[in-house]
Amino acid sequence: MFGLEALDLARIQFAFTISFHIIFPAITIGLASYLAVLEGLWLKTGEAVYRDLYHFWSKIFAVNFGMGVVSGLVMAYQFGTNWSAFSDFAGSVTGPLLAYEVLTAFFLEAGFLGVMLFGWNRVGPGLHFFSTLMVAVGTLISTFWILASNSWMQTPQGFEIVDGRVIPVDWFAVVFNPSFPYRLAHMATAAFLATAFFVGASAAWHLLRGRDNPALRKMLSMAMWMALLVAPLQALIGDFHGLNTLEHQPAKIAAIEGHWDNSSGEPTSLILFGWPDMQREETRFKVEVPYLGSLILTHSLDQQVPALKEFAREDRPNSTIVFWSFRVMVALGMLMIFAGLWSLWLRWRGTLYQSRPFLHLCLWMGPSGLIAILAGWFTTEIGRQPWVVYGLMRTADGVSMHSAAQLGLTLVLFVVVYLAVFGAGMSYVMRLVRKGPVTGEGDGPGEGGPGTSRTPARPISAAEDGQQGGGYAATEPSARA
């Protein structure tokens, strides 16, 4: 297929499916915690705006949660179908870690999700809030185990190799491997930021169309507080993560920096832009800042960063890809920090909700968190190559014995099915966003269904065809059809 070998198609297929999958857990991680905050604020203050926002975002959470579960099942099967040699080699570590995720996180989420979505008028407020908290905790526990498994593949520890298979001997070392704390913090924070900008963009879309109301203002305000506080923290976490990667995966850092040669003995420059050429072993058309690479990566002005030529050709990651994916992630992170600082200035001036240039920025920044997550994931995974388990098993040795024709056919089927199914799901989510929050949801008993008090019990029926309203409805709850 297009001259690609079976290994290339297996990697593309896995990259395609995981790129779809990672979007949905990222949003559910952030939204679950956001819902817990909203319900906690409603219980504490009694302000209806928090309750209405809870009901609005719980529908979007439910759809994302469902798509995340479905896409995640496909990922699990691919380990056996396309990467059976890897599963045979490392399954005694990765298998239990994924099983722990199901036993601790998924069961916790599934157990309380029903109460959270369907129990608003059926259980007491304390139990319902507890259920929301448990779902939020479950998403974070799930993140813990998934990142533990993937981090072990990046920096394996706590094992022995017996008869060609990995055997865990120290589960504490396996789980808390050297890169795990940094990658867990980085991913969880990225999920919160992605959700914040998704929420902020939703509010900005309505405000730009003149639909100004307390719920939309609260959405934008909370989103921008998150950006202001968490985006700089994410940059700090990223710096620690970079130092850890320099220690344990120096070839990845060299590829990210597009840095080829240390023969000059001079401190490393930071290449802002350029085109790493893997064949010519140089970064062409580069624009660089002297000393800055050493300052950022070693926190000194005299130490050098490892260079790609220090590693054998077959051990080098593809610098052309990770050089740019990393810069996309960093550029979006800088824009997030800028958006947070701009929002603070507008708050001080009292024009946060009226500044159209700022609202347009928020609208265009809506998918920025998800794009940054994908760019960071590409940097992490492609930067690990050519290893599937770093230093232990090459990716070429972990693939199943399928033909290129078989993998090409299944890849095409995946593309068609994913675009149809998840495209429809994401389209539905956008319909919910365009509808906007409705006032008075959850006020009383009611019969349920779209627009009535039990809408959260039927999240898939929440966006009515042809409804153009956004923001608070103009009529009283009892007058709505």
Coordinates of all heavy atoms in Angstrom, one line a residue, residues 47-83:
E47 N -26.2 29.2 44.1 CA -26.4 30.0 42.9 C -26.7 29.0 41.8 O -26.0 28.1 41.4 CB -25.1 30.8 42.5 CG -24.7 31.8 43.6 CD -23.5 32.6 43.1 OE1 -23.2 32.7 41.9 OE2 -22.8 33.2 44.0
A48 N -27.9 29.3 41.1 CA -28.4 28.4 40.1 C -27.5 28.3 38.9 O -27.6 27.3 38.2 CB -29.8 28.9 39.7
V49 N -26.7 29.3 38.7 CA -25.8 29.3 37.5 C -24.9 28.1 37.5 O -24.6 27.5 36.4 CB -25.0 30.6 37.3 CG1 -24.0 30.8 38.5 CG2 -24.3 30.7 36.0
Y50 N -24.4 27.7 38.7 CA -23.5 26.5 38.7 C -24.3 25.2 38.4 O -23.8 24.3 37.8 CB -22.9 26.4 40.1 CG -22.0 27.6 40.4 CD1 -22.2 28.5 41.5 CD2 -20.8 27.8 39.7 CE1 -21.4 29.5 41.8 CE2 -19.9 28.8 40.0 CZ -20.2 29.7 41.0 OH -19.4 30.7 41.3
R51 N -25.5 25.2 38.9 CA -26.4 24.0 38.6 C -26.7 23.9 37.1 O -26.6 22.8 36.6 CB -27.7 24.1 39.4 CG -28.7 23.0 39.1 CD -30.1 23.5 39.5 NE -30.4 24.6 38.7 CZ -31.4 25.5 39.0 NH1 -32.0 25.3 40.1 NH2 -31.6 26.6 38.2
D52 N -27.0 25.0 36.5 CA -27.3 25.0 35.1 C -26.1 24.6 34.2 O -26.2 23.8 33.3 CB -27.9 26.3 34.6 CG -29.2 26.7 35.3 OD1 -29.9 25.7 35.7 OD2 -29.5 27.9 35.5
L53 N -24.9 25.1 34.6 CA -23.7 24.7 33.9 C -23.4 23.2 34.1 O -22.9 22.6 33.2 CB -22.6 25.6 34.4 CG -22.5 27.0 33.9 CD1 -21.4 27.8 34.5 CD2 -22.5 27.1 32.4
Y54 N -23.7 22.7 35.3 CA -23.5 21.3 35.6 C -24.3 20.5 34.6 O -23.8 19.5 34.0 CB -23.8 21.0 37.0 CG -23.6 19.5 37.3 CD1 -22.4 19.1 37.9 CD2 -24.6 18.6 37.1 CE1 -22.3 17.7 38.2 CE2 -24.5 17.2 37.4 CZ -23.3 16.8 37.9 OH -23.1 15.5 38.2
H55 N -25.6 20.8 34.5 CA -26.4 20.0 33.6 C -26.0 20.1 32.1 O -26.0 19.1 31.4 CB -27.9 20.4 33.8 CG -28.5 20.0 35.1 ND1 -28.4 18.8 35.6 CD2 -29.2 20.8 36.0 CE1 -29.0 18.7 36.8 NE2 -29.5 19.9 37.0
F56 N -25.6 21.3 31.7 CA -25.2 21.5 30.4 C -23.9 20.6 30.0 O -23.9 19.9 29.1 CB -24.9 23.0 30.1 CG -24.3 23.3 28.8 CD1 -24.9 23.0 27.6 CD2 -23.0 23.8 28.7 CE1 -24.3 23.3 26.4 CE2 -22.4 24.1 27.5 CZ -23.1 23.8 26.4
W57 N -22.9 20.7 30.9 CA -21.7 20.0 30.6 C -21.7 18.5 30.9 O -20.9 17.8 30.4 CB -20.5 20.7 31.4 CG -20.1 22.0 30.7 CD1 -20.4 23.2 31.2 CD2 -19.5 22.2 29.5 NE1 -19.9 24.2 30.3 CE2 -19.3 23.6 29.3 CE3 -19.0 21.3 28.5 CZ2 -18.7 24.1 28.1 CZ3 -18.3 21.8 27.4 CH2 -18.2 23.2 27.2
S58 N -22.7 18.1 31.7 CA -22.8 16.7 32.0 C -23.3 15.9 30.7 O -22.9 14.8 30.5 CB -23.8 16.4 33.1 OG -25.1 16.8 32.8
K59 N -24.0 16.6 29.9 CA -24.4 16.0 28.6 C -23.2 15.7 27.7 O -23.0 14.7 27.1 CB -25.5 16.8 27.9 CG -26.7 17.1 28.7 CD -27.5 18.3 28.0 CE -28.6 18.8 29.0 NZ -28.7 20.2 28.9
I60 N -22.4 16.8 27.6 CA -21.2 16.7 26.8 C -20.2 15.6 27.3 O -19.6 14.9 26.6 CB -20.6 18.1 26.6 CG1 -21.5 19.0 25.9 CG2 -19.2 18.0 25.9 CD1 -21.1 20.5 25.9
F61 N -20.1 15.6 28.7 CA -19.3 14.6 29.3 C -19.8 13.2 29.0 O -19.0 12.3 28.7 CB -19.3 14.8 30.8 CG -18.6 13.7 31.6 CD1 -17.3 13.7 31.8 CD2 -19.4 12.7 32.1 CE1 -16.6 12.7 32.5 CE2 -18.8 11.6 32.8 CZ -17.4 11.7 33.0
A62 N -21.1 13.0 29.0 CA -21.6 11.6 28.8 C -21.3 11.2 27.4 O -20.9 10.0 27.2 CB -23.1 11.6 29.0
V63 N -21.4 12.0 26.4 CA -21.1 11.6 25.0 C -19.6 11.3 24.9 O -19.2 10.3 24.2 CB -21.5 12.7 24.0 CG1 -21.2 12.3 22.6 CG2 -23.0 13.0 24.1
N64 N -18.8 12.2 25.4 CA -17.3 12.0 25.3 C -16.9 10.7 26.1 O -16.0 10.0 25.6 CB -16.6 13.2 25.9 CG -16.4 14.3 24.9 OD1 -15.4 14.2 24.1 ND2 -17.2 15.2 24.9
F65 N -17.5 10.4 27.2 CA -17.2 9.2 28.0 C -17.5 8.0 27.1 O -16.7 7.1 27.1 CB -18.0 9.2 29.3 CG -17.6 8.1 30.2 CD1 -16.6 8.2 31.1 CD2 -18.3 6.9 30.1 CE1 -16.2 7.2 32.0 CE2 -17.9 5.8 31.0 CZ -16.9 6.0 31.9
G66 N -18.7 8.0 26.5 CA -19.0 6.8 25.7 C -18.1 6.6 24.5 O -17.7 5.5 24.2
M67 N -17.7 7.7 23.8 CA -16.8 7.6 22.7 C -15.4 7.1 23.2 O -14.7 6.4 22.5 CB -16.7 8.9 21.9 CG -18.0 9.2 21.2 SD -17.9 10.5 20.0 CE -17.7 12.0 21.1
G68 N -15.0 7.6 24.4 CA -13.7 7.2 24.9 C -13.6 5.7 25.2 O -12.6 5.1 24.9
V69 N -14.7 5.2 25.8 CA -14.8 3.7 26.1 C -14.7 2.9 24.8 O -13.9 2.0 24.7 CB -16.1 3.4 26.9 CG1 -16.2 1.9 27.0 CG2 -16.0 4.0 28.3
V70 N -15.5 3.3 23.8 CA -15.5 2.5 22.6 C -14.1 2.5 21.9 O -13.6 1.5 21.5 CB -16.6 3.1 21.6 CG1 -16.5 2.4 20.3 CG2 -18.0 2.8 22.2
S71 N -13.5 3.7 21.8 CA -12.2 3.8 21.1 C -11.1 3.2 21.9 O -10.2 2.6 21.3 CB -11.9 5.3 20.8 OG -11.9 6.0 22.0
G72 N -11.3 3.1 23.2 CA -10.3 2.5 24.0 C -10.3 1.0 23.9 O -9.2 0.3 24.0
L73 N -11.5 0.4 23.7 CA -11.5 -1.1 23.5 C -10.7 -1.5 22.2 O -10.1 -2.5 22.2 CB -13.0 -1.5 23.3 CG -13.8 -1.5 24.6 CD1 -15.3 -1.8 24.3 CD2 -13.3 -2.4 25.6
V74 N -10.8 -0.7 21.2 CA -10.1 -1.0 20.0 C -8.6 -1.0 20.2 O -7.8 -1.9 19.8 CB -10.4 0.1 18.9 CG1 -9.5 -0.2 17.6 CG2 -11.9 0.0 18.5
M75 N -8.1 0.0 21.1 CA -6.7 0.0 21.4 C -6.2 -1.3 22.1 O -5.2 -1.8 21.8 CB -6.4 1.2 22.3 CG -6.8 2.6 21.8 SD -5.9 3.0 20.3 CE -4.2 2.9 20.9
A76 N -7.0 -1.8 23.0 CA -6.7 -3.0 23.7 C -6.5 -4.2 22.8 O -5.6 -5.0 22.9 CB -7.7 -3.2 24.8
Y77 N -7.5 -4.3 21.8 CA -7.4 -5.4 20.9 C -6.2 -5.3 20.0 O -5.6 -6.3 19.6 CB -8.7 -5.5 20.1 CG -9.8 -6.1 20.8 CD1 -11.0 -5.4 21.2 CD2 -9.8 -7.5 21.1 CE1 -12.0 -6.0 21.8 CE2 -10.9 -8.1 21.7 CZ -12.0 -7.3 22.1 OH -13.0 -7.9 22.8
Q78 N -5.8 -4.1 19.7 CA -4.6 -4.0 18.7 C -3.3 -4.5 19.3 O -2.5 -4.9 18.6 CB -4.5 -2.5 18.3 CG -5.4 -2.1 17.2 CD -4.9 -0.7 16.6 OE1 -4.4 0.1 17.3 NE2 -5.2 -0.6 15.4
F79 N -3.2 -4.5 20.6 CA -2.0 -5.1 21.2 C -1.9 -6.6 20.9 O -0.8 -7.1 20.7 CB -2.0 -4.9 22.8 CG -1.7 -3.5 23.2 CD1 -2.7 -2.8 23.9 CD2 -0.5 -2.9 22.9 CE1 -2.4 -1.5 24.4 CE2 -0.2 -1.7 23.4 CZ -1.2 -0.9 24.1
G80 N -3.0 -7.2 20.8 CA -3.0 -8.7 20.4 C -2.9 -8.9 19.0 O -2.3 -9.9 18.5
T81 N -3.6 -8.1 18.2 CA -3.7 -8.4 16.7 C -2.5 -7.9 16.0 O -1.9 -8.6 15.1 CB -5.0 -7.7 16.2 OG1 -5.0 -6.3 16.4 CG2 -6.2 -8.3 16.8
N82 N -2.1 -6.7 16.2 CA -1.0 -6.1 15.4 C 0.4 -6.1 16.1 O 1.4 -5.9 15.5 CB -1.3 -4.6 15.1 CG -2.4 -4.5 14.1 OD1 -3.0 -5.5 13.6 ND2 -2.8 -3.3 13.7
W83 N 0.4 -6.3 17.5 CA 1.6 -6.2 18.2 C 1.8 -7.4 19.2 O 2.1 -7.3 20.3 CB 1.7 -4.9 19.0 CG 1.6 -3.7 18.1 CD1 0.5 -3.0 17.8 CD2 2.7 -3.1 17.3 NE1 0.8 -2.0 16.9 CE2 2.1 -2.1 16.6 CE3 4.0 -3.4 17.2 CZ2 2.9 -1.3 15.7 CZ3 4.8 -2.7 16.4 CH2 4.2 -1.6 15.7

